[in-house]
Amino acid sequence: MAEGFEDKLAYFQAITGLDDPDLCTEILSAHNWDLELAISAFTSSSNPSSSTNPSASASDVDGGGGSNPAESSIARRDSGDPPAPGLAWKLITLPFYVVSGGIGLITGAVGLGVWIAGGVLSRSLNLLGLAAPRGAEADRLIPVSASTAEAADFVAAFERDFGGASAGIRFVAEGFTDALQRSQREYKLLFVYLHSPDHPDVPTFCSGCLCSALVAAFVNENFVAWGGSIRRTEGFKISNSLKASRFPFCAVVMASTNQRIVLLQQERDRLISSVIQIEGPKSSEEMLAILQRVIEECTPALVAARLEAEERRNNQRLREEQDAAYRAALEADQARERQRKEEQERLEREAAEAEKKRKEEEEARERAACEAAEKEAALARRRQEKAMSLGIEPEKGPDVTQVLVRFPTGERKERRFHSSATISSLYDYVDSLDCLKAEKYSLVSNFPRVSYGPEKHSLTLKEAGLHPQASLFVEVDS
């Protein structure tokens, strides 16, 4: 498969809900890291007896208190007591099957596709409420804050116990502070409901009042609704902050500019000039009348806050536009200044490069002239030394060889040498003449063609067959 072992381990933990990576690694290793076989074995071999815990408390209306079978088995596994034969032992002692060859690769790829499709389908059914409930914590793959988790649990439990999301108030699944900030952003009041699961009047109040179509529609349109159970941490803290004494309990809250909570209506307080008691169970008509009065009284403040915020936004936008225009003008000026400096630097650089190039060419010409003069002087000295080494040209005689040398330019030179002179003497003779500019050359005879290279320089003219006369031409080496 394309995923590595760590990805498979993460997928297996997310699907099965097991937190122990060692146990998950043992299970996957027993199935040759085949996700389909491991998950199938886990779901088919689950131990029903481990899902019940006599010491666990029953879950309340906000979804807390449930136990996880995998977590219970892992807890027993980590405890000091001897572990009873359970899921881990059954899975580890399963026969080790390995699907060989290409069939294993094909079935593995198909199995992963089926597993992904099954996961998507299962998640969709859970969201639609059609799958068997496993607890909110088991479905949550993305970690969230404790307050958000409590709010999500309350929303799920409220919808499960008193109807779907469309049947009542749409409580936000986020913490109280986040809900308060949301109401501030939307310029709405925050409707707070604190749920007491043990109170006998709560079920009737929730189903008859909060789930009433008129109350729910009015709250959903004009308020941001937040609910929490007083059995959970945040719900208990909010009940203390709002000084809730009787239940069912509702409150209307507005977030002030300095983030303090200002109570506008509470079940035990008067509304403006009249005392309106809404502690305890109330009908939907009474709740709707109270909420309508609150909206009427608070609408001017909300409108003023909205206008003030819009004015602040407009002023901020104007300042940002002015700042942007100033920055654009400044950047344009800076760009022009940079361009001017770059152009000036380019011209100076080109002038410096041209001057440097001129000096280099002049120095190269001077250097070449010096080298040529030195070379010419060296050649002149060489020719003089070679001519002096030849000595005086001998007179004609039986032991004298007449040598004719032809140059590539067509020029001819002739000289007499003693027959006992060596071939190197002929090269010295050619070097003493100002007829050849090349330094590497060979003396060659035509009939027969013989090249008198370095290996023959020690031969005498007589030994080389050039006596009594010879005709040689200069062949420049390439």
Side-chain angles (χ1 to χ4, degrees), residues 122 133 231 470:
S122 175
R231 285 187 176 181

Side-chain angles (χ1 to χ4, degrees), residues 221-243:
E221 181 179 358
N222 298 282
F223 295 86
V224 173
W226 181 87
S229 173
I230 61 173
R231 285 187 176 181
R232 305 298 292 271
T233 303
E234 187 169 40
F236 180 75
K237 291 180 179 179
I238 298 302
S239 67
N240 290 336
S241 298
L242 301 182
K243 296 179 174 58

Side-chain angles (χ1 to χ4, degrees), residues 145-177:
S145 63
S147 58
T148 302
E150 290 184 13
D153 293 342
F154 170 78
V155 172
F158 189 88
E159 292 176 356
R160 182 181 67 247
D161 295 340
F162 302 106
S166 60
I169 297 175
R170 293 192 296 270
F171 294 100
V172 293
E174 55 192 21
F176 179 81
T177 303

Side-chain angles (χ1 to χ4, degrees), residues 92-265:
I92 295 173
T93 56
L94 284 174
F96 186 82
Y97 295 101
V98 177
V99 181
S100 61
I103 298 177
L105 295 176
I106 297 174
T107 55
V110 173
L112 179 60
V114 172
W115 170 73
I116 294 175
V120 173
L121 179 60
S122 175
R123 185 65 177 171
S124 302
L125 292 177
N126 287 334
L127 293 176
L128 295 175
L130 300 178
R134 299 187 305 159
E137 296 293 337
D139 283 338
R140 224 174 265 127
L141 300 181
I142 301 176
V144 294
S145 63
S147 58
T148 302
E150 290 184 13
D153 293 342
F154 170 78
V155 172
F158 189 88
E159 292 176 356
R160 182 181 67 247
D161 295 340
F162 302 106
S166 60
I169 297 175
R170 293 192 296 270
F171 294 100
V172 293
E174 55 192 21
F176 179 81
T177 303
D178 295 335
L180 194 61
Q181 293 174 351
R182 177 193 290 268
S183 66
Q184 187 180 33
R185 290 193 303 269
E186 298 179 3
Y187 301 100
K188 292 183 178 181
L189 301 176
L190 179 64
F191 178 82
V192 178
Y193 169 64
L194 296 177
H195 187 73
S196 177
D198 299 328
H199 200 281
D201 295 330
V202 165
T204 304
F205 176 76
C206 291
S207 59
C209 181
L210 296 184
C211 292
S212 170
L214 294 176
V215 174
F218 188 78
V219 171
N220 293 335
E221 181 179 358
N222 298 282
F223 295 86
V224 173
W226 181 87
S229 173
I230 61 173
R231 285 187 176 181
R232 305 298 292 271
T233 303
E234 187 169 40
F236 180 75
K237 291 180 179 179
I238 298 302
S239 67
N240 290 336
S241 298
L242 301 182
K243 296 179 174 58
S245 59
R246 293 183 57 192
F247 294 90
F249 180 89
C250 296
V252 177
V253 178
M254 174 187 287
S256 61
T257 55
N258 58 1
Q259 300 299 321
R260 290 184 294 107
I261 296 176
V262 179
L263 282 183
L264 300 178
Q265 177 60 54

Side-chain angles (χ1 to χ4, degrees), residues 10 42 52 75 84 88 104 112 133 156 193 218-219 227 262 269 273 282 285 302 316 323 326 349 400 412 422 439:
F42 180 85
T52 59
L112 179 60
Y193 169 64
F218 188 78
V219 171
V262 179
D269 290 342
S273 60
K282 295 297 177 182
E285 291 79 7
L302 295 175
Q316 182 179 1
D323 293 342
Y326 172 76
R349 187 169 53 254
V400 175
R412 297 184 177 195
T422 60
E439 295 182 359

Side-chain angles (χ1 to χ4, degrees), residues 1 39 55 143 163 178 257 319 454:
M1 294 183 186
I39 294 172
S55 62
D178 295 335
T257 55
R319 287 194 300 270

Side-chain angles (χ1 to χ4, degrees), residues 308-326:
E308 182 181 356
E310 290 179 355
E311 184 178 0
R312 286 197 303 270
R313 285 196 298 269
N314 292 334
N315 293 335
Q316 182 179 1
R317 183 167 57 251
L318 180 59
R319 287 194 300 270
E320 291 175 353
E321 292 175 354
Q322 292 174 348
D323 293 342
Y326 172 76

